[in-house]
Amino acid sequence: MTAAQRREAVTWLMTTRHVSERLARRLSRSSASSFRYASQRGVADRPVRQGLHALAEQRPRWGSPRLHWSMDFVRDALADGRPFRAFTVVDDFTRECPVIAVDTHLSSERVIAVLEQLAGRRGLPKALVGDNGSEFTRRAFDAWAYRRGIKLLFIRPAKPVGNAFIESVNGKLRDECLSTSWFLDLADARAQIEDWRHDYNTARPHSGLAHRTPSHFARNFTRVAPSTDP
């Protein structure tokens, strides 16, 4: 169990089981200094997050999808050794993962098709954050983004921290699903990864959302946001 997981366990015991901090730390084998440690991760991103929250308050009809999604790829292999890729997308505001597309090959055209399908369900963002992978830098993808009025924001090469939200999702996908699962074929990989995505959105509390799930946060934000439409 990592230090972060121990801190989450202590918080869960205190809030759900209503035990004291000392007992919760003893049960989770966490020291006082470790539990009270304040991570500096994301400090540099704080102005960006504050700006997103301000935009969300000013433009509640945009909803979170109108702000920023981040996107990336994860690689793994089937039981017979055949490699496959997973195209992951995350809403930077709600931390929801609205789609994970799984296939042996994911071209720019396939990425565009996935995003267009997503557009039909929840709209498209004003900006997309990604790395400098060929799928995101090819002319077809650039032209599609231009037609859709989407700004493409690329992180610095070899600096994954610049895309911290999607890296967090990818890390959890790797630890909790890819590294612990045995995929018989592509259909099995898609089914298991989709189950994980649903669980991530609806059952997994997120410390960055005051220990609410992404779906719960998005649902309640939409409910309380005042309308600015005439």
Side-chain angles (χ1 to χ4, degrees), residues 63-154:
S64 54
R66 290 292 185 182
L67 302 177
H68 288 75
W69 290 344
S70 294
M71 54 189 183
D72 202 2
F73 291 92
V74 180
R75 293 174 174 81
D76 206 82
L78 303 175
D80 60 6
R82 285 184 298 158
F84 70 85
R85 304 178 78 198
F87 171 55
T88 56
V89 178
V90 65
D91 184 319
D92 289 358
F93 181 65
T94 67
R95 314 295 174 86
E96 287 179 292
C97 179
V99 66
I100 302 179
V102 178
D103 214 327
T104 54
H105 179 65
L106 289 164
S107 63
S108 294
E109 291 74 17
R110 178 66 194 284
V111 169
I112 291 170
V114 171
L115 293 174
E116 282 292 337
Q117 291 175 354
L118 198 58
R121 301 203 307 267
R122 54 188 289 156
L124 289 171
K126 290 293 183 182
L128 280 169
V129 183
D131 61 21
N132 289 273
S134 61
E135 298 84 0
F136 304 146
T137 57
R138 288 187 176 173
R139 185 174 299 176
F141 191 78
D142 185 69
W144 170 81
Y146 178 79
R147 290 195 304 271
R148 280 296 206 165
I150 298 172
K151 185 176 182 180
L152 298 179
L153 305 176
F154 296 106

Side-chain angles (χ1 to χ4, degrees), residues 180-193:
T180 61
S181 302
W182 186 261
F183 305 119
L184 299 177
D185 52 31
L186 201 58
D188 186 36
R190 286 170 175 160
Q192 291 195 55
I193 291 172

Side-chain angles (χ1 to χ4, degrees), residues 33-55:
S33 59
S34 176
F35 173 65
R36 295 167 186 169
Y37 167 73
S39 173
Q40 296 302 306
R41 178 182 291 181
V43 171
D45 294 332
R46 189 171 297 156
V48 176
R49 294 199 301 270
Q50 290 173 342
L52 286 173
H53 280 269
L55 278 172

Side-chain angles (χ1 to χ4, degrees), residues 1 8-9 14 19 22 48 57 83-84 111 113 143 154 187 199:
M1 183 180 290
E8 290 185 1
M14 291 172 61
V19 302
R22 179 176 297 179
V48 176
E57 291 174 357
F84 70 85
V111 169
F154 296 106
D199 184 76

